[in-house]
């Protein structure tokens, strides 16, 4: 099915572990984004990508790494998870500048 | 950098009545897009409505309409004939057309409760 899928939907991990959140879109959208959602902060941009092999930091990039070797995939890695990274993570994609995003269903990550 | 402010953390409306959610933004740009997103308890983000800044006409989508005041940098969402399914968190968002990456900047959100 066409769309944008995130996995896993829920994840519990321990402090210090490496965690990778997956994001896959089937539209070949140029733009892809990772946001985190925390109460009182709305959605804050972690990283974004305008095309394959092009990634840039957003508002809150510390502790995260991304890659985009293929247009359709945009994984987000927490190199050494901390409790402050407990959050809901959203991946999104967009075909061009004037469009809204289409969001994945989100990953709820808990770091214990 | 652009900022988006939603001054109402929470709003309530009676079923079948009308409610307006407020949003203001700060920008020095003349061309941009504005959006309202709905996030129900399922946490899925759903695009409700989009407004292009160069268009004076306010966007409408069925029961949803906006009041776009460019000079005042205001972008409110009106929901008419409110339904129980409208209960959700609503986010206002701004998208630059000139800034690299053309990222969406979100407000903190407004929780809308619908009473039967």
């Amino acid at each position: 099915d066409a769309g944008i899928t995130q996995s896993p939907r829920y994840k519990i991990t321990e402090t210090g572990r490496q965690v990778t959140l997956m994001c896959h879109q089937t539209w070949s959208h140029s733009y892809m984004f990772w946001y985190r959602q925390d109460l009182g902060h709305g959605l804050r941009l972690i990283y974004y990508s305008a095309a394959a092999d092009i990634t840039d930091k957003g508002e809150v990039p510390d502790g995260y790494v991304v890659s985009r070797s293929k247009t359709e995939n945009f994984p987000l890695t927490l190199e050494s998870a901390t409790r402050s990274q407990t959050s809901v993570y959203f991946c999104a994609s967009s075909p061009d500048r004037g469009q809204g995003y289409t969001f994945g269903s989100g990953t709820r990550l808990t770091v214990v | 950098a652009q900022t988006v402010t939603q001054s109402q953390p929470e709003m309530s409306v009676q079923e079948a009545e009308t409610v307006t959610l407020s949003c203001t933004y700060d920008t020095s740009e003349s061309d941009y897009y504005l959006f309202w997103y709905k996030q129900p308890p399922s946490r899925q983000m759903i695009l409700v409505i989009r407004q292009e800044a160069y268009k004076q006409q306010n966007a409408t989508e069925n029961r949803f309409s906006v009041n776009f005041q460019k000079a005042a940098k205001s972008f409110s969402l009106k929901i008419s004939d409110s339904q129980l399914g409208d209960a959700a968190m609503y986010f206002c968002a701004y998208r630059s057309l000139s800034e690299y990456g053309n990222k969406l900047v979100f407000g903190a959100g407004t929780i809308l409760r619908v009473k039967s």
Side-chain angles (χ1 to χ4, degrees):
Chain A
D1 289 337
I4 181 166
T5 55
Q6 287 185 240
S7 60
R9 186 157 172 81
Y10 299 93
K11 176 76 176 176
I12 300 175
T13 192
E14 295 178 338
T15 302
R17 290 197 178 257
Q18 183 179 82
V19 177
T20 296
L21 309 183
M22 305 302 292
C23 180
H24 175 79
Q25 52 111 348
T26 59
W27 295 297
S28 298
H29 286 173
S30 298
Y31 294 94
M32 295 190 76
F33 307 85
W34 274 106
Y35 285 82
R36 61 176 289 173
Q37 182 178 13
D38 304 289
L39 197 61
H41 291 279
L43 282 82
R44 293 181 292 175
L45 182 66
I46 304 170
Y47 269 94
Y48 62 101
S49 169
D53 296 323
I54 301 175
T55 62
D56 284 282
K57 296 178 180 179
E59 183 184 353
V60 289
D62 293 344
Y64 303 95
V65 173
V66 294
S67 63
R68 197 169 176 205
S69 57
K70 292 184 178 181
T71 299
E72 61 266 31
N73 296 323
F74 192 41
L76 176 74
T77 297
L78 288 67
E79 295 183 294
S80 177
T82 65
R83 290 196 179 88
S84 65
Q85 292 176 311
T86 292
S87 186
V88 177
Y89 291 85
F90 284 98
C91 178
S93 71
S94 169
D96 61 44
R97 300 178 303 163
Q99 301 298 315
Y101 296 173
T102 301
F103 284 85
S105 55
T107 295
R108 180 177 293 278
L109 176 68
T110 303
V111 183
V112 298
Chain B
Q2 297 84 15
T3 58
V4 177
T5 302
Q6 294 179 248
S7 58
Q8 306 152 318
E10 197 168 318
M11 293 282 285
S12 290
V13 63
Q14 199 70 34
E15 201 175 2
E17 297 194 341
T18 295
V19 64
T20 298
L21 308 185
S22 300
C23 174
T24 58
Y25 57 95
D26 186 26
T27 185
S28 59
E29 299 174 334
S30 60
D31 201 12
Y32 47 87
Y33 284 82
L34 296 164
F35 303 87
W36 279 97
Y37 277 87
K38 171 185 177 181
Q39 186 182 41
S42 66
R43 83 169 179 243
Q44 182 66 48
M45 294 286 287
I46 302 165
L47 178 62
V48 175
I49 202 164
R50 181 184 81 154
Q51 175 77 44
E52 295 133 322
Y54 66 86
K55 287 188 177 179
Q56 292 186 334
Q57 187 173 6
N58 289 323
T60 62
E61 285 288 341
N62 301 314
R63 298 182 295 107
F64 298 86
S65 61
V66 299
N67 183 5
F68 173 48
Q69 302 288 328
K70 191 172 184 179
K73 297 178 184 174
S74 171
F75 182 59
S76 60
L77 175 70
K78 186 172 83 170
I79 306 173
S80 303
D81 185 26
S82 296
Q83 301 174 359
L84 293 177
D86 295 333
M89 174 81 89
Y90 286 82
F91 291 98
C92 178
Y94 172 103
R95 190 171 194 184
S96 167
L97 289 179
S98 57
E99 189 177 284
Y100 174 75
N102 312 115
K103 307 170 289 293
L104 271 179
V105 177
F106 288 87
T110 296
I111 297 171
L112 177 65
R113 303 192 191 281
V114 181
K115 296 180 282 189
S116 59

